Amino acid sequence: MTKILIIEDDEAIATIEQDFLEINGFETEIVTDGHQGLKKALSNEYDLLLLDVMLPGMDGIEIMKRIRDKVMVPILLVTAKGDELDKLRGLGLGADDYISKPFSPSELVARVKSNLAQAERLKAKGEKNTSKILQFGEIEISPDTMKVTVAGEVAQLKHKEFELLLFLMENPEHVFSKEAIYERIWGMDAFGDIRTVAVHINRLREKIEKNPSEPQHIQTVWGAGYRFMP
């Protein structure tokens, strides 16, 4: 059974999250303290982390900093409504998605299912293409190991950054709208904020482009979307 760790200090909200996730077939565990949440997350016993930003002891952003390179599972960040800074910081540190309070239980379940399904698709794709390595110029990407190198140097990409780069490199010169990218990478079109796409594009450019302000590979096609140019 898929196991989800809920790190949330508001017990009423945590219980609602737990009830609806368990109704939909997930096993859950609740932690209400940041330090305990960090310890549990690092155990790698879970398939997805539902992480609140505001926590006692250690906030969700600090937890993200400490676990992202060690825990390779989807992280769904829970933020306060309208708190753009926390959203941007979380995405920059490797959150796969975010959901803002207040949210409906159906939206929560949909987001969780979407992120889990996307993680499974990426894993299956890597297993299928074990020997396949994509290379354009100085950029090389290995789907099975999730390793990316630029001019021989390893680029430290977060989970969704890797998925986005792989998708674009597998479809060179093809222009994708923000909506199409969001649906493909985040796996859903009913919920969410497509501004997430622009945040990840900018982070990716910072890590693989020689001059992120004048990108050679991940280009913006004004009024249409983005494309990868070899």
Side-chain angles (χ1 to χ4, degrees):
M1 184 181 291
T2 302
K3 193 172 182 179
I4 297 172
L5 177 63
I6 300 171
I7 308 177
E8 167 65 66
D9 67 315
D10 188 320
E11 294 186 13
I13 292 177
T15 299
I16 292 173
E17 293 172 343
Q18 182 177 53
D19 288 346
F20 276 88
L21 288 170
E22 291 189 348
I23 287 172
N24 282 271
F26 299 108
E27 180 182 352
T28 65
E29 184 175 350
I30 296 174
V31 175
T32 59
D33 173 80
H35 289 292
Q36 186 66 12
L38 173 63
K39 182 179 178 181
K40 286 283 187 180
L42 288 172
S43 70
N44 275 309
E45 298 177 1
Y46 306 92
D47 300 290
L48 180 141
L49 306 182
L50 186 60
L51 176 62
D52 189 32
V53 171
M54 300 301 294
L55 294 166
M58 179 184 299
D59 66 28
I61 298 298
E62 183 62 29
I63 291 174
M64 285 279 298
K65 291 178 182 178
R66 300 194 186 195
I67 69 173
R68 184 67 281 186
D69 293 332
K70 302 179 181 69
V71 179
M72 299 306 293
V73 299
I75 298 177
L76 181 55
L77 197 66
V78 180
T79 67
K81 185 177 182 180
D83 198 332
E84 298 298 324
L85 180 58
D86 280 343
K87 294 172 185 177
L88 293 174
R89 290 172 65 199
L91 292 172
L93 291 168
D96 294 280
D97 200 0
Y98 65 82
I99 186 169
S100 298
K101 298 177 182 177
F103 50 80
S104 69
S106 60
E107 180 184 2
L108 171 66
V109 172
R111 292 285 191 92
V112 167
K113 288 182 176 179
S114 173
N115 280 279
L116 286 168
Q118 184 63 19
E120 283 299 314
R121 285 194 292 270
L122 184 63
K123 180 181 177 182
K125 194 168 190 177
E127 292 173 350
K128 182 178 179 181
N129 300 313
T130 301
S131 61
K132 182 181 178 182
I133 294 179
L134 290 175
Q135 182 174 7
F136 290 110
E138 296 182 331
I139 302 174
E140 186 175 288
I141 185 168
S142 174
D144 59 322
T145 62
M146 293 185 67
K147 181 179 179 181
V148 176
T149 58
V150 180
E153 297 291 329
V154 176
Q156 300 295 337
L157 302 190
K158 309 303 183 184
H159 192 199
K160 280 292 189 289
E161 293 168 354
F162 177 86
E163 293 182 51
L164 178 56
L165 179 60
L166 179 61
F167 173 59
L168 293 174
M169 287 183 67
E170 287 180 329
N171 299 277
E173 300 186 37
H174 188 102
V175 179
F176 294 96
S177 67
K178 290 181 181 179
E179 291 80 6
I181 292 174
Y182 187 89
E183 185 173 356
R184 174 62 178 78
I185 302 302
W186 280 264
M188 58 196 307
D189 57 3
F191 301 108
D193 188 341
I194 62 171
R195 289 177 297 177
T196 301
V197 174
V199 173
H200 281 77
I201 289 288
N202 289 336
R203 299 286 186 184
L204 197 50
R205 283 171 172 164
E206 290 173 1
K207 295 178 180 181
I208 71 167
E209 299 281 1
K210 290 182 178 179
N211 183 357
S213 62
E214 297 181 4
Q216 295 180 353
H217 298 292
I218 303 179
Q219 298 182 351
T220 299
V221 180
W222 298 108
Y226 302 100
R227 67 184 173 191
F228 183 89
M229 294 299 292

